[in-house]
Amino acid sequence: MFELFTSDNKFIVFLRQLADIILLNLIFLLFCLPVVTIGASLASLYALMRQEVEEKEPHLMSEFWKAFKANLKPSLPLWLPMLVIGVLLWFDVQLMQNATGTLAPVLSALVMVAEVLYVFVLSYLFPMLGWFENSTRDSYMKALYFSIRHFPTSLAVSAINLFPLFLAFGVPNGLTPALVLMIFFGFSVQALTNTILLRRAFRDFLPEVEHYEVEEDWLPGEDGSENDLSAPPQE
């Protein structure tokens, strides 16, 4: 009867993983409260989920804080423009709902295309911070490139990200279930599922990233000198 409480029991493992997902979700929401840090929080959430997918079993609080500090500065020039663009698109949608005239359908179509591209780019932008080291411009360009090249993956990831909004505003009495879902584990589950999908999209570019992590070129050499990062790796 005591086998139920052993550490390798599948039910206990499931409960432990569920507890980790809930805890990580709450940590993520806590770090999102200043609003300007949402980008860094998203990047950190995806960084931990990448470790989870790779079975590295990260220590949640310390690893999240470490990732947050590393991602805060590079995420700001990515998140703040996306925040402004998102607000502008929201106002455009409100205007288009009441627009009349011969150009109204054309303008509505343009706004819809802009919304799709916005969601696509947003779905790739912050997960990429944990995978690649890019300039701000290259991050935007790469996010757009990946979203178009891997269109089915982009649709799947975008559908996962937009599902809470559909539940909240597209289903009668769905607002409360949507809030409960996202407060307790929704963001973590989204990030975990998206990481599995995006890992396949990033597959062609992973060798150079994994080499950077595995080779540990930043460590001193055996003779005490620093390794030359510009030198090609030894076969």
Side-chain angles (χ1 to χ4, degrees):
M1 64 179 289
F2 295 103
E3 290 182 359
L4 176 64
F5 301 100
T6 58
S7 59
D8 57 348
N9 181 274
K10 292 183 178 180
F11 181 68
I12 298 299
V13 170
F14 168 76
L15 290 180
R16 186 166 61 244
Q17 291 175 338
L18 180 61
D20 287 345
I21 286 175
I22 294 175
L23 177 60
L24 184 56
N25 204 79
L26 295 175
I27 294 172
F28 165 76
L29 290 174
L30 177 65
F31 278 76
C32 284
L33 289 179
V35 180
V36 295
T37 60
I38 290 178
S41 299
L42 277 171
S44 304
L45 178 63
Y46 275 92
L48 263 70
M49 284 307 175
R50 180 188 176 187
Q51 294 184 39
E52 183 68 28
V53 169
E54 295 174 353
E55 299 181 352
K56 294 183 179 180
E57 298 183 359
H59 187 276
L60 297 184
M61 191 61 202
S62 62
E63 288 296 325
F64 191 95
W65 175 241
K66 179 181 176 181
F68 182 83
K69 290 191 295 182
N71 290 318
L72 181 58
K73 185 176 180 179
S75 70
L76 287 177
L78 299 176
W79 167 245
L80 294 181
M82 294 300 288
L83 177 60
V84 173
I85 293 172
V87 173
L88 292 176
L89 284 175
W90 183 83
F91 278 113
D92 287 340
V93 171
Q94 303 307 308
L95 290 174
M96 288 300 101
Q97 288 179 349
N98 300 317
T100 58
T102 55
L103 292 179
V106 177
L107 294 176
S108 297
L110 291 176
V111 171
M112 185 175 297
V113 171
E115 287 179 321
V116 171
L117 289 177
Y118 177 84
V119 173
F120 276 12
V121 170
L122 188 62
S123 297
Y124 282 85
L125 200 56
F126 297 102
M128 283 175 51
L129 280 181
W131 299 82
F132 308 104
E133 293 184 3
N134 297 309
S135 65
T136 300
R137 177 182 177 277
D138 287 342
S139 295
Y140 282 115
M141 296 302 294
K142 235 173 204 180
L144 182 60
Y145 165 76
F146 277 123
S147 65
I148 295 174
R149 178 179 177 181
H150 301 281
F151 188 73
T153 299
S154 302
L155 286 178
V157 172
S158 298
I160 291 170
N161 291 335
L162 293 176
F163 174 75
L165 292 178
F166 170 77
L167 178 62
F169 302 106
V171 176
N173 302 318
L175 181 58
T176 299
L179 288 175
V180 172
L181 173 70
M182 301 312 293
I183 288 174
F184 287 101
F185 52 84
F187 292 105
S188 293
V189 172
Q190 282 180 332
L192 179 60
T193 307
N194 290 344
T195 297
I196 296 172
L197 295 173
L198 294 174
R199 181 180 173 85
R200 297 166 63 184
F202 297 155
R203 182 171 45 199
D204 295 340
F205 293 83
L206 285 181
E208 60 186 70
V209 179
E210 291 177 348
H211 165 75
Y212 175 81
E213 295 179 351
V214 173
E215 293 294 329
E216 297 180 344
D217 290 332
W218 57 273
L219 291 173
E222 293 183 358
D223 58 354
S225 61
E226 291 185 358
N227 292 322
D228 185 2
L229 295 178
S230 63
Q234 310 232 343
E235 298 292 340

